[in-house]
Amino acid sequence: TVVTWNVGTAVPPNDVTSLLHLNTGETNDVDMIAIGLQEVNSKINKRLKDALFTDQWSELFMDVLSPFHFILVSTVRMQGVILLVFAKYYHLPFLQDIQTDCTRTGLGGYWGNKGGVSVRLSIFGHMVCFLNCHLPAHLEKAEQRKEDFATILHVQQFEGRVANGILDHDLVFWFGDLNFRIESLDICFVKYAIDSNVLSQLWEKDQLNIAKSTWPVLRGFQEGPLNFPPTFKFDVGTNKYDSSAKKRKPAWTDRILWKIKSPSTGLGAGKHRPSQGVLSVSQLCYCSHMEYTVSDHKPVAAIFAVQFASKVDKPPVEIYVADEWSRPEQAVVRYKMAVGFHRSSWDWIGLYRVGFRHPKDYVSYVWARSDDGERCVSGLQVMFSEEALPKGNGEYILGYYSNTSSSIAGVTEPFQISLPRSEEGSSPTDSSGSSSEEDDSTLVLLAPKSRSPSPSKMKRHRSRSPSLAKFQGLILRPSSRDRGMSRSPSPQSRHGLSRDIPTIHVPHEELGCCAAKAKELRKAADSLEGSSFYQTVQEQGHPQHVPTDSPLARADPRNLGLLPALRLEMIDKVMGWQQENVDQGYYPCRRMSPTSPPGCGTSPKKGCSP
């Protein structure tokens, strides 16, 4: 299914099931869905919010499609132009070599309000490209539309040995607000033809239909019959064409086309592609959806049946798992890699709840490194720890995430996990399908994990932990249980924290000038002395150790990676040496860090504050 919609900066509607044909039997047979949006609200305040969180439109489509087992494969955005590609979860291992690109054509190529975004990927061994465009508006800009489309085709290039350009792919879907208008005919005749349902009288004056036979750049592109009314321009909130003073002529601006690569295109003499064979595309549906009135455009959808000549039927990674995990020791995963699969030490196996939204929407994970996995008869073997397993009953799926291809290279069929809940009533995952697990003791210090489809690009959450300056003399150490462990598959989390804590020498005069404030801070620190939440510095610099199994010890801010660990000490010897130099009329500059030179600069004038 391919959908295009110029949303006109509108807020998403409450229901898009009819747009995606989810309320019909056709959905049971649909394997992939590509959604192209134009004019998504991209004002500065909205873009800042979308940079931190997933935009409303992407969230809506993920929420609606995930119960139907559609997973977000890839997404790309250029200002208000967005492209999302979804697929059934069991197809994910066969969708490889996923790449995206975008081209700005607004303001001579400097502004992204117009242009094109694309997602290309290998589907069962065949190269397919989805291209979503927003071309220049107005009737007289037909030549500009042609030039911009030619620029997009020329500029967008992908990495790899095959299909470097858009037209090099075996199959291209081109769609979007292409902005082609109806020539010659006046608005009265156009509206008469629409009201009389004689749309065929408008087809020969449609600029895109004319261009397909005259522009070389459009040679080979196909489109179904336009048996639906023009989709632009409507009064927002109604099904009435433009009644404003401008009274724009109705037009089929929103289109969906496709092109099959010629077997001989781009091949030298005597060369052939064994995967090409005979590829056929049949359009089963091509329609607009008049029921959506939030924009001055109506959305357009098309359903295609694509027949490949051959099909890769073996996934890059095969995963074997028991039908049910009722005890923690049963959480064993065996997996085998295909010959030629490019593995990485950053690959991991994710545990997903059935109905997950995207590859990073895991419940827990385990690293799939070669030195971590045990060799077994069927390949490699890893095991989930008891802490990483969700409590309660539910259906789950395992997926092998390849860091090299940024995609899932192997999945299992759904299986059951039935583990008793902890007596304290706290569970690593809640029943609402949260995508991450955290100890209860850390909830005060961690913001909720983002459900963004690109967690690797997530912005850091603002720390809710107390400022270090408010607790003088604190030393924060990782507990032994959590040292070196991480619950997020990021490279930084693979290394343990250093036990060495830097010491900062604070001049006595500096502390003396704020003695009153320091006294208050010492009282605050003393009040925490009996608490196990922090490990305070005791006499002679020996820390007081807290039992590592304590929940509060696990909430140590340094364990969470939220604060640096510093020790504040007063060195009598240093203070004495410093006072002696002051008496002699020389005041050394302050030592700003343990690695800075001890003597630098000149002394300030007499009577000046250091």
Side-chain angles (χ1 to χ4, degrees):
T1 300
V2 177
V3 175
T4 179
W5 191 4
N6 183 321
V7 299
T9 71
V11 175
N14 296 326
D15 185 20
V16 290
T17 53
S18 62
L19 172 62
L20 301 172
H21 294 254
L22 298 178
N23 51 0
T24 66
E26 299 166 332
T27 310
N28 298 330
D29 299 325
V30 171
D31 300 289
M32 297 184 67
I33 298 178
I35 302 169
L37 304 176
Q38 306 86 38
E39 289 194 22
V40 175
N41 191 341
S42 58
K43 292 182 179 179
I44 183 64
N45 58 336
K46 186 65 178 171
R47 289 293 286 127
L48 288 174
K49 183 178 179 181
D50 291 346
L52 297 173
F53 309 99
T54 309
D55 68 274
Q56 290 178 298
W57 286 95
S58 299
E59 284 282 351
L60 170 68
F61 287 116
M62 284 191 288
D63 288 341
V64 170
L65 289 171
S66 59
F68 294 89
H69 306 299
F70 283 100
I71 312 302
L72 181 65
V73 176
S74 184
T75 180
V76 58
R77 177 173 184 173
M78 180 185 68
Q79 287 186 215
V81 184
I82 298 179
L83 175 58
L84 306 111
V85 177
F86 294 84
K88 291 287 182 69
Y89 77 89
Y90 43 81
H91 292 316
L92 295 180
F94 305 99
L95 308 180
Q96 298 296 317
D97 197 10
I98 303 170
Q99 298 181 43
T100 63
D101 202 356
C102 61
T103 303
R104 301 177 179 88
T105 59
L107 293 179
Y110 289 98
W111 195 243
N113 63 322
K114 297 292 190 294
V117 297
S118 61
V119 172
R120 86 84 174 263
L121 69 166
S122 169
I123 303 177
F124 292 100
H126 302 269
M127 303 307 297
V128 179
C129 182
F130 297 94
L131 175 61
N132 173 28
C133 290
H134 191 187
L135 300 182
H138 304 304
L139 176 67
E140 66 277 7
K141 294 293 183 66
E143 283 297 318
Q144 184 65 48
R145 287 188 276 274
K146 178 178 74 170
E147 292 177 8
D148 284 6
F149 181 55
T151 298
I152 294 170
L153 294 180
H154 175 73
V155 169
Q156 294 204 8
Q157 296 290 316
F158 303 97
E159 298 177 356
R161 294 175 295 176
V162 295
N164 300 114
I166 291 178
L167 298 183
D168 295 331
H169 290 73
D170 298 329
L171 177 60
V172 177
F173 288 100
W174 176 40
F175 49 96
D177 180 4
L178 308 185
N179 258 320
F180 288 99
R181 308 304 173 97
I182 297 175
E183 290 185 345
S184 304
L185 306 175
D186 61 33
I187 186 172
C188 294
F189 182 83
V190 171
K191 287 188 174 181
Y192 166 78
I194 295 171
D195 294 338
S196 304
N197 198 25
V198 286
L199 301 175
S200 58
Q201 297 187 18
L202 307 177
W203 292 349
E204 62 181 13
K205 297 299 182 179
D206 175 75
Q207 289 181 332
L208 183 55
N209 285 338
I210 297 172
K212 280 189 290 185
S213 58
T214 57
W215 293 359
V217 72
L218 294 181
R219 187 176 296 117
F221 278 95
Q222 305 177 57
E223 184 183 19
L226 299 170
N227 290 325
F228 51 89
T231 55
F232 175 83
K233 174 185 182 178
F234 290 86
D235 292 336
V236 175
T238 72
N239 286 327
K240 295 180 180 179
Y241 286 103
D242 187 15
S243 62
S244 68
K246 294 183 178 180
K247 284 191 168 47
R248 293 182 179 87
K249 190 193 307 183
W252 285 290
T253 57
D254 310 279
R255 314 287 277 270
I256 301 173
L257 299 89
W258 73 96
K259 180 178 181 178
I260 301 174
K261 181 183 177 182
S262 170
S264 59
T265 302
L267 298 178
K271 295 184 179 180
H272 67 282
R273 291 186 57 185
S275 65
Q276 179 69 38
V278 178
L279 187 152
S280 65
V281 177
S282 302
Q283 190 177 64
L284 308 179
C285 171
Y286 192 27
C287 61
S288 64
H289 288 266
M290 299 290 289
E291 66 270 24
Y292 295 98
T293 61
V294 298
S295 170
D296 56 355
H297 289 251
K298 299 299 181 184
V300 175
I303 300 178
F304 298 91
V306 180
Q307 182 70 41
F308 293 116
S310 60
K311 183 175 109 172
V312 176
D313 54 3
K314 188 174 181 180
V317 178
E318 295 180 83
I319 308 176
Y320 309 93
V321 68
D323 293 335
E324 182 179 4
W325 291 354
S326 56
R327 301 188 307 276
E329 56 268 23
Q330 292 178 317
V332 177
V333 182
R334 297 177 177 86
Y335 58 99
K336 184 169 58 176
M337 302 176 185
V339 177
F341 174 72
H342 298 289
R343 64 174 304 171
S344 166
S345 58
W346 302 111
D347 292 354
W348 45 274
I349 297 175
L351 179 64
Y352 301 92
R353 194 182 301 273
V354 169
F356 68 104
R357 296 146 46 101
H358 51 80
K360 302 294 181 68
D361 191 19
Y362 54 83
V363 173
S364 61
Y365 74 94
V366 62
W367 291 104
R369 292 179 61 186
S370 56
D371 52 350
D372 291 341
E374 298 179 8
R375 290 281 176 180
C376 58
V377 177
S378 58
L380 290 167
Q381 172 179 304
V382 293
M383 185 173 182
F384 280 84
S385 65
E386 182 176 355
E387 295 175 348
L389 296 175
K391 305 301 186 290
N393 300 327
E395 278 194 318
Y396 294 84
I397 294 170
L398 287 171
Y400 184 103
Y401 186 86
S402 168
N403 185 71
T404 304
S405 62
S406 299
S407 61
I408 290 182
V411 293
T412 65
E413 290 294 325
F415 65 97
Q416 193 76 18
I417 293 183
S418 305
L419 296 176
R421 298 184 182 275
S422 58
E423 295 180 359
E424 295 79 10
S426 61
S427 170
T429 57
D430 56 27
S431 57
S432 64
S434 170
S435 62
S436 64
E437 61 153 304
E438 297 293 342
D439 291 338
D440 291 343
S441 58
T442 69
L443 294 181
V444 231
L445 297 172
L446 289 181
K449 184 173 182 178
S450 167
R451 296 187 294 175
S452 165
S454 303
S456 59
K457 299 180 181 178
M458 283 194 308
K459 305 296 182 292
R460 294 177 181 267
H461 291 292
R462 181 177 298 170
S463 171
R464 298 181 185 175
S465 58
S467 172
L468 184 65
K470 296 181 181 179
F471 300 96
Q472 190 174 6
L474 292 184
I475 176 172
L476 311 176
R477 297 180 183 275
S479 64
S480 59
R481 185 181 73 86
D482 289 338
R483 187 179 293 114
M485 293 179 60
S486 168
R487 296 186 180 181
S488 172
S490 60
Q492 292 82 354
S493 64
R494 301 291 297 275
H495 307 289
L497 295 171
S498 173
R499 297 180 60 90
D500 297 330
I501 300 173
T503 298
I504 296 181
H505 301 294
V506 183
H508 182 73
E509 284 73 13
E510 270 194 41
L511 292 177
C513 68
C514 55
K517 184 176 180 181
K519 186 175 181 181
E520 294 177 2
L521 295 178
R522 281 196 297 272
K523 288 181 180 180
D526 292 339
S527 65
L528 294 172
E529 186 173 0
S531 170
S532 60
F533 191 88
Y534 295 98
Q535 301 177 20
T536 59
V537 177
Q538 302 299 317
E539 294 180 3
Q540 299 177 358
H542 296 289
Q544 172 187 351
H545 294 283
V546 178
T548 57
D549 56 352
S550 168
L552 292 175
R554 293 197 298 269
D556 186 323
R558 182 173 174 187
N559 300 343
L560 306 175
L562 298 174
L563 290 173
L566 302 176
R567 179 189 304 170
L568 305 181
E569 290 185 349
M570 291 177 56
I571 308 300
D572 293 337
K573 183 177 180 180
V574 174
M575 296 300 106
W577 171 81
Q578 186 183 52
Q579 184 63 38
E580 181 181 351
N581 285 281
V582 172
D583 295 339
Q584 297 175 2
Y586 170 75
Y587 197 100
C589 71
R590 287 174 288 177
R591 188 174 181 181
M592 302 305 296
S593 72
T595 57
S596 60
C600 59
T602 59
S603 62
K605 296 180 180 180
K606 186 175 180 179
C608 294
S609 175

